[in-house]
Amino acid sequence: MTQLLRARRLLTERGWLDDHQIHIEDGIIAEIEPIPSGVMARDAELLCPAYIDIHVHGGAGVDVMDEAPDTLNKLAMHKAREGVANWLPTTVTAPLPDIHKALERIAHRYHFGGPGAQVLGSYLEGPYFTPQNKGAHPPELFRELELNELDELIAISQQTLRVVALAPEKPGALQAIEHLKQRNVRVMLGHSAATWEQTRAAFDTGADGLVHCYNGMTGLHHREPGMVGAGLTDPRAWLELIADGHHVHPAAMKLCCCCAKDRLVLITDAMQAAGMPDGRYTLCGEEVEMCSGVVRTASGGLAGSTLSVDAAVRNMVELTGVTAEEAIHMASLHPARLLGIDRHLGSLAVGKRADAIALNSGLHLQQIWIQGQALPL
């Protein structure tokens, strides 16, 4: 099946192309070329790569840890409506049997597919953290790093475990990082009290970056740069960023752009309440409350977000002054590069999957195509 998508402006890795079209063959981009003269119709004002959200706990009233069989399908449709074509369902700190069941459900969705955004695998956030910057994670369920346990998690996931988050100061952390990297699992650092030196040692061993930069880690201080300082200054480190203006002050967002613009990965860290009205919800088994779109624990700490990826892109442009092109890459090309899948996903290029979004001049979503198929919004 052959399709054509025509755009007034089309975003590639090298920048914008005016009045170009893409040919799609069986869900793959076969050609990108100028629109023939005299053809006036356009499918998009701005045709851009669809977004990739690598860090998602929930939304639309459901949670990745829920056992209901339609949970991941509901979440996948919710993500598609914010311009996401591919995502990583993300677990939380919980009893190990519950994590195992979640990994099995995610693996099933990965292998058999379903409606909406496509599952790329799983992201394990917890239980390998330390208490000082625990966030909403219950510290009584934190576990020590055991290589056999990590191998069991990979096996239960049917080799679909893509990212493991851990605290680099835990005993055996460096050995665990090396072990996971040998098995093609990305390692992100967070919910930790690690020093700058411990964080740099983890990067030296192969860790890939920071979990939601600034949140759940040692901050930047002029005499102890901490995890944030290590991430900002190490060119090997990818930095996840929750760009909602609540988790990170706009000035700190701008600092990320000054130090690491080409290493930023916009995430939502969205939880059950995303896309829902204010009220009471749960995260990590605890009751939390959303007020004016901000979710907090009973003690007042932030508990995930209700951010959408398309809003994160707009926030980066409005709050930090980066270009639309740069912000869109932070939500598409950069996460694909972090996961090592940018040969197939993350940008509009010949030979890549035809995952595309139409945006208006205000960067609001108009349409999404997943593998060349338009989804109703």
Side-chain angles (χ1 to χ4, degrees), residues 46 51 310-311 314 318 358-367:
L46 305 177
Y51 300 137
D310 58 326
R314 292 192 298 273
E318 294 165 9
L359 303 177
N360 64 17
S361 59
L363 304 183
H364 290 272
L365 184 69
Q366 306 293 297
Q367 183 61 61

Side-chain angles (χ1 to χ4, degrees), residues 269-318:
D269 195 25
M271 49 80 71
Q272 183 186 72
M276 301 293 286
D278 283 353
R280 295 186 181 278
Y281 297 90
T282 58
L283 181 66
C284 297
E286 298 289 324
E287 187 174 90
V288 295
E289 186 168 4
M290 179 168 72
C291 182
S292 300
V294 180
V295 185
R296 295 188 181 275
T297 63
S299 62
L302 291 168
S305 90
T306 60
L307 183 65
S308 65
V309 180
D310 58 326
V313 168
R314 292 192 298 273
N315 289 344
M316 289 302 293
V317 173
E318 294 165 9

Side-chain angles (χ1 to χ4, degrees), residues 241-255:
L241 187 65
I242 307 172
D244 61 359
H246 302 294
H247 281 75
V248 180
H249 190 281
M253 291 164 56
K254 188 173 290 189
L255 179 60

Side-chain angles (χ1 to χ4, degrees), residues 348-363:
L348 300 181
V350 172
K352 291 195 179 187
R353 193 184 298 172
D355 294 336
I357 52 176
L359 303 177
N360 64 17
S361 59
L363 304 183

Side-chain angles (χ1 to χ4, degrees), residues 5 23 42 48-49 58 64 95 115 117 122 133 137 164 193 230 257 275 303 348 352:
L5 292 180
H23 292 251
R42 299 290 184 271
C48 306
V64 167
S122 51
N133 292 300
H137 293 258
V164 169
C257 295
L348 300 181
K352 291 195 179 187

Side-chain angles (χ1 to χ4, degrees), residues 1 18 23-24 40 50 68-69 107 179 202 281 330 345 353 362:
M1 179 181 172
D18 291 336
H23 292 251
I24 301 171
M40 304 306 295
H179 189 79
Y281 297 90
M330 292 172 188
L345 299 174
R353 193 184 298 172

Side-chain angles (χ1 to χ4, degrees), residues 196-373:
W196 178 88
E197 187 174 8
Q198 289 169 323
T199 308
R200 282 296 300 267
F203 291 147
D204 289 341
T205 306
D208 295 277
L210 299 183
V211 181
H212 41 57
C213 184
Y214 295 106
N215 299 110
M217 63 187 62
T218 48
L220 178 65
H221 185 275
H222 59 285
R223 283 191 292 273
E224 170 45 65
M227 296 183 73
V228 171
L232 288 175
T233 57
D234 193 317
R236 301 168 295 183
W238 292 99
L239 306 181
E240 295 179 1
L241 187 65
I242 307 172
D244 61 359
H246 302 294
H247 281 75
V248 180
H249 190 281
M253 291 164 56
K254 188 173 290 189
L255 179 60
C256 275
C257 295
C258 292
C259 296
K261 186 162 56 179
D262 294 334
R263 299 183 280 117
L264 285 185
V265 174
L266 298 182
I267 63 164
T268 60
D269 195 25
M271 49 80 71
Q272 183 186 72
M276 301 293 286
D278 283 353
R280 295 186 181 278
Y281 297 90
T282 58
L283 181 66
C284 297
E286 298 289 324
E287 187 174 90
V288 295
E289 186 168 4
M290 179 168 72
C291 182
S292 300
V294 180
V295 185
R296 295 188 181 275
T297 63
S299 62
L302 291 168
S305 90
T306 60
L307 183 65
S308 65
V309 180
D310 58 326
V313 168
R314 292 192 298 273
N315 289 344
M316 289 302 293
V317 173
E318 294 165 9
L319 299 176
T320 74
V322 299
T323 66
E325 172 187 345
E326 290 167 335
I328 292 165
H329 285 332
M330 292 172 188
S332 53
L333 182 59
H334 294 187
R337 286 177 173 166
L338 166 57
L339 295 177
I341 55 175
D342 51 305
R343 288 182 59 191
H344 309 289
L345 299 174
S347 64
L348 300 181
V350 172
K352 291 195 179 187
R353 193 184 298 172
D355 294 336
I357 52 176
L359 303 177
N360 64 17
S361 59
L363 304 183
H364 290 272
L365 184 69
Q366 306 293 297
Q367 183 61 61
I368 182 170
W369 294 268
I370 299 178
Q371 299 180 50
Q373 299 300 307

